[in-house]
């Protein structure tokens, strides 16, 4: 599960201690998964009420899982509110979370389909020369950065890159124009590259137009840009999912540097009790 290190302009626990929390998240996730899996394996040894009570201690909502695949999804769904807490609260400050993010399918897709070592900034707002700038989502991969624009249209729609400002949607031989996703992607990429350059950090930055359900009709991709439509998606997705690498120091340095330039709006927390119900023992 990818890590949500920044959500829009919310205060993030990762911003406070960027070198600590990525590794801590992975350890907590692995430990809690082992406990849930052990509970699932022992389910027939327990009384039904005892099993349900133990299951509810993992803070997850929804129906009781009936097979191992459902257990995995149950676990992933239960991690989402925990990740939203880490991405909207530090130990001393908090941002007021828009509950819409709990049902945000794009956010859920990025978090649940990729490895733990992929670090996600979801629609972050950067503060450049005191001016807030909204950007596309950013994935800090162990070997580089992806500035990502996800496009979801009806399956019968074909996307056709046009000039610098326009792309086209074609359905039933009818073409309509829409604003090129490369406009915002280039802006995001320039911001990321300028921040890294200012700190003498060399890390590849790539622009990604991702449309899992739609054909992208193209001949050539622009420099440092990748188009992944329905024809390219399976190969690309398996390559990303199967990528095996531990967190790297250079990757976390990139994360810390980018987070330093993001905007956050928060208030002081008045409660000091432990609210993170994800098991941390």
């Amino acid at each position: 599960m990818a890590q949500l290190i920044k959500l829009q302009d919310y205060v993030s626990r990762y911003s406070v201690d960027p070198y600590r929390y990525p590794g801590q998240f992975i350890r907590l996730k692995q430990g809690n998964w082992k406990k849930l899996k052990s509970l699932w394996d022992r389910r027939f040894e327990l009384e039904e009420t005892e099993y349900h009570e133990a299951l509810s201690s993992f803070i997850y909502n929804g129906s009781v899982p009936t097979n191992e695949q459902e257990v995995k999804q149950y676990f992933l769904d239960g991690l989402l509110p925990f990740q939203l807490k880490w991405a909207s609260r530090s130990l001393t400050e908090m941002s007021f979370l828009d509950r819409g993010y709990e049902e945000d399918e794009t956010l859920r897709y990025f978090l649940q389909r990729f490895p733990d070592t992929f670090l996600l900034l979801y629609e972050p707002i950067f503060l450049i020369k005191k001016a807030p700038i909204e950007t596309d989502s950013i994935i800090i991969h162990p070997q580089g950065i992806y500035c990502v624009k996800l496009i979801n249209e009806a399956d019968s729609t074909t996307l056709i890159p046009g000039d610098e400002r326009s792309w086209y949607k074609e359905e039933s031989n009818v073409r309509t124009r829409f604003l090129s996703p490369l406009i915002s992607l280039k802006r995001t990429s320039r911001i990321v590259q300028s921040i890294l350059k200012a700190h003498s950090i060399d890390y590849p930055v790539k622009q990604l137009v991702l449309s899992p359900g739609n054909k992208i009709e193209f001949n050539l991709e622009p420099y440092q840009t990748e188009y992944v439509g329905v024809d390219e998606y399976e190969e690309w997705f398996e390559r990303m999912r199967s990528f095996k690498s531990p967190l790297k120091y250079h990757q976390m340095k990139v994360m810390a540097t980018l987070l330093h330039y993001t905007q956050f709006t928060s208030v002081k927390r008045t409660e000091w009790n432990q609210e993170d119900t994800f098991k941390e023992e």
Side-chain angles (χ1 to χ4, degrees):
M1 188 173 200
Q3 299 192 48
L4 180 59
I5 65 170
K6 180 65 178 178
L7 181 63
Q8 206 188 45
D9 68 341
Y10 296 172
V11 66
S12 167
R13 194 165 295 193
Y14 291 88
S15 298
V16 176
D17 196 343
Y19 293 94
R20 171 190 172 191
Y21 284 105
Q24 182 175 347
F25 174 84
I26 292 173
R27 290 191 297 272
L28 290 172
K29 179 193 168 189
Q30 290 173 343
N32 278 268
W33 167 246
K34 287 179 182 178
K35 291 174 185 176
L36 180 59
K37 181 63 165 58
S38 174
L39 177 63
W40 167 256
D41 291 338
R42 293 185 298 110
R43 65 193 182 281
F44 296 122
E45 303 170 16
L46 304 172
E47 295 287 340
E48 185 176 353
T49 54
E50 184 182 5
Y51 171 63
H52 286 185
E53 184 177 332
L55 194 65
S56 67
S57 72
F58 285 88
I59 74 166
Y60 309 133
N61 299 316
S63 58
V64 175
T66 59
N67 57 56
E68 191 164 324
Q69 186 57 43
E70 289 183 6
V71 172
K72 291 178 182 178
Q73 190 60 49
Y74 181 76
F75 182 70
L76 292 176
D77 288 343
L79 280 175
L80 182 60
F82 173 77
Q83 287 195 290
L84 288 172
K85 280 186 178 180
W86 272 25
S88 61
R89 301 184 185 189
S90 69
L91 296 179
T92 59
E93 297 181 79
M94 64 177 289
S95 301
F96 295 102
L97 180 68
D98 180 346
R99 293 299 173 186
Y101 285 117
E102 296 175 352
E103 307 299 328
D104 189 322
E105 290 302 322
T106 300
L107 177 60
R108 191 180 294 266
Y109 166 80
F110 282 130
L111 292 180
Q112 294 192 350
R113 307 302 294 275
F114 298 101
D116 298 338
T117 54
F118 287 35
L119 309 176
L120 174 68
L121 292 85
Y122 190 67
E123 300 175 347
I125 298 176
F126 286 88
L127 201 58
I128 306 297
K129 296 180 180 179
K130 299 183 178 180
I133 303 175
E134 297 181 5
T135 66
D136 292 307
S137 296
I138 298 166
I139 295 174
I140 306 175
H141 181 285
Q143 293 183 339
I145 290 174
Y146 286 95
C147 303
V148 188
K149 175 74 79 174
L150 183 67
I151 302 176
N152 285 315
E153 296 288 340
D155 291 347
S156 56
T157 300
T158 297
L159 305 176
I160 304 169
D163 55 29
E164 289 188 358
R165 295 201 58 81
S166 301
W167 277 36
Y168 298 90
K169 302 174 188 178
E170 185 171 281
E171 185 176 14
S172 302
N173 294 319
V174 176
R175 252 186 213 196
T176 56
R177 180 182 300 182
F178 70 101
L179 197 64
S180 169
L182 296 183
I183 295 174
S184 61
L185 280 176
K186 286 178 180 178
R187 182 177 65 249
T188 303
S189 179
R190 282 195 299 268
I191 290 170
V192 170
Q193 289 172 331
S194 66
I195 291 172
L196 298 183
K197 184 178 180 180
H199 290 266
S200 301
I201 297 175
D202 183 21
Y203 211 66
V205 179
K206 198 168 191 177
Q207 299 164 170
L208 173 65
V209 179
L210 182 61
S211 187
N214 302 105
K215 179 180 178 62
I216 304 179
E217 198 172 272
F218 66 96
N219 294 318
L220 295 173
E221 296 161 317
Y223 178 68
Q224 292 290 68
T225 302
E226 188 172 3
Y227 296 154
V228 177
V230 65
D231 295 338
E232 300 81 22
Y233 182 73
E234 286 303 323
E235 180 183 346
W236 174 86
F237 181 66
E238 285 307 313
R239 186 171 74 246
M240 298 288 274
R241 285 269 293 178
S242 62
F243 184 83
K244 303 296 182 185
S245 171
L247 288 165
K248 297 183 181 295
Y249 175 80
H250 197 50
Q251 179 188 13
M252 290 192 286
K253 183 179 179 181
V254 168
M255 174 189 67
T257 303
L258 292 181
L259 288 176
H260 179 73
Y261 286 87
T262 56
Q263 175 175 285
F264 67 89
T265 304
S266 64
V267 298
K268 293 289 184 182
R269 290 179 64 175
T270 55
E271 75 281 7
W272 292 92
N273 58 309
Q274 176 63 44
E275 288 189 349
D276 298 325
T277 48
F278 191 67
K279 293 178 180 295
E280 299 195 24
E281 64 272 11

